[in-house]
Amino acid sequence: MAPVALSHEGRVAVVTGAARGLGQAICRGLAEHGATVVGVDLLDQAETGGMVEAAGARWQGVNADVTSEAAVTALGQEVQERFGRCDVLVNNAGIADPVPWDALDYELWQKILRVNLDGQFLMAKALVPLMKAAGYGRIVNITSTTTVMPIEIFIGYRVSKMGVIGLTRSLASLGEHGITANAVSPSLTPTGMTDGVIPDEVFEAYRQSASIKRTATVDDVVPTVLFLTSSDASWVTGQSFAADGGQSFCLP
Ligand SMILES: NC(=O)c1ccc[n+]([C@@H]2O[C@H](COP(=O)([O-])OP(=O)(O)OC[C@H]3O[C@@H](n4cnc5c(N)ncnc54)[C@H](O)[C@@H]3O)[C@@H](O)[C@H]2O)c1
């Protein structure tokens, strides 16, 4: 058997939510392992583009909303025309609803589901045809440990992230085309999503309850994503993995 290399040399990877946080770290990791990276975000992605190019990889930033079918379809065509392939899709873009039940209205509920779940569906719809044509593809959908945690906020968020696990299992039915799909749950990680939303004492409580007693960094999720998006992970599909320092395992 060839040694496990986690190489992404010659691969084209599309990462949503690439402007900052976990998506930015995933872009950098893929670039450091040789992938051409296409970042998708509503925000400016110049910082991520700089990191990818500093790693010696090709970069293309696309300003698009993952909830827009037209924008995502156009993105798929752009990837096809520019690179002729899409080997890796990391569905990472997401938003949260850090409010309890009484403050959650239907509009916010729908917005969360549109970005976190419909966005992943639309991206897969746009890029799976390229993977099928090549007989190869690696999809990683970012979900969350909130799916298994006893919290009173993030209600629509948790439902959307449970949906992501279901979507992932359905996408695993593409195995006959050489396509795998897996879900990855990061744990609570300081990013733009948590800034000003999650108080320090919550971080401290999570630190204490995890097996590994420190706060996660954006880089902690990257090796798991790199493995699942590599050709080495050809026999792993339809699964959901927590890269969470044992946090969800230990919480009461
Ligand atoms: N930070 C955490 O504690 C944590 C824990 C578990 C899971 N996650 C998940 O990790 C992923 C990344 O989160 P993060 O913490 O890096 O958050 P973040 O807010 O820092 O980054 C999310 C990115 O997604 C982009 N985005 C949002 N809506 C979009 C849309 N409609 N179209 C295109 N881009 C859009 C944002 O502009 C942003 O750049 C999310 O799916 C999140 O649910 C985060």
Side-chain angles (χ1 to χ4, degrees):
M1 185 190 154
V4 174
L6 299 191
S7 172
H8 288 69
E9 213 61 55
R11 301 293 188 196
V12 175
V14 176
V15 181
T16 68
R20 65 185 197 187
L22 297 163
Q24 182 178 73
I26 291 165
C27 288
R28 197 181 52 225
L30 286 163
E32 286 167 350
H33 286 74
T36 291
V37 181
V38 179
V40 183
D41 209 299
L42 296 166
L43 301 176
D44 179 77
Q45 299 177 74
E47 189 177 84
T48 308
M51 290 175 176
V52 167
E53 286 172 350
R58 285 173 80 192
W59 160 258
Q60 186 180 1
V62 178
N63 190 260
D65 183 340
V66 297
T67 69
S68 161
E69 186 176 10
V72 169
T73 303
L75 164 75
Q77 283 161 358
E78 199 177 335
V79 172
Q80 159 84 17
E81 280 158 25
R82 177 134 190 222
F83 303 107
R85 58 191 297 143
C86 173
D87 304 293
V88 172
L89 167 62
V90 181
N91 270 319
N92 164 79
I95 56 172
D97 53 347
V99 295
W101 177 258
D102 285 346
L104 177 64
D105 60 24
Y106 188 42
E107 194 182 340
L108 180 55
W109 165 271
Q110 286 184 307
K111 189 175 170 195
I112 297 291
L113 285 165
R114 268 204 309 276
V115 176
N116 294 1
L117 186 54
D118 295 9
Q120 295 200 2
F121 167 80
L122 290 173
M123 288 296 299
K125 270 284 174 191
L127 294 171
V128 162
L130 275 72
M131 295 178 175
K132 271 186 165 182
Y136 179 90
R138 296 281 179 267
I139 301 171
V140 166
N141 295 328
I142 300 297
T143 176
S144 165
T145 49
T146 55
T147 50
V148 293
M149 283 163 50
I151 51 174
E152 289 166 5
I153 58 172
F154 296 122
I155 294 161
Y157 181 81
R158 171 192 268 155
V159 171
S160 70
K161 295 299 190 180
M162 292 294 281
V164 163
I165 294 170
L167 174 66
T168 305
R169 290 185 180 165
S170 297
L171 287 169
S173 67
L174 297 165
E176 64 179 301
H177 303 285
I179 299 170
T180 65
N182 292 285
V184 172
S185 302
S187 54
L188 182 65
T189 311
T191 65
M193 182 177 276
T194 63
D195 281 354
V197 171
I198 305 293
D200 287 347
E201 52 269 29
V202 172
F203 275 102
E204 178 57 24
Y206 280 35
R207 243 189 322 272
Q208 291 312 321
S209 67
S211 304
I212 300 169
K213 299 202 181 307
R214 66 169 173 80
T215 297
T217 73
V218 291
D219 291 326
D220 284 320
V221 77
V222 176
T224 304
V225 174
L226 286 180
F227 170 64
L228 292 171
T229 53
S230 71
S231 54
D232 298 303
S234 59
W235 196 236
V236 185
T237 194
Q239 303 304 308
S240 179
F241 297 90
D244 73 342
Q247 188 179 82
S248 52
F249 165 70
C250 291
L251 274 174

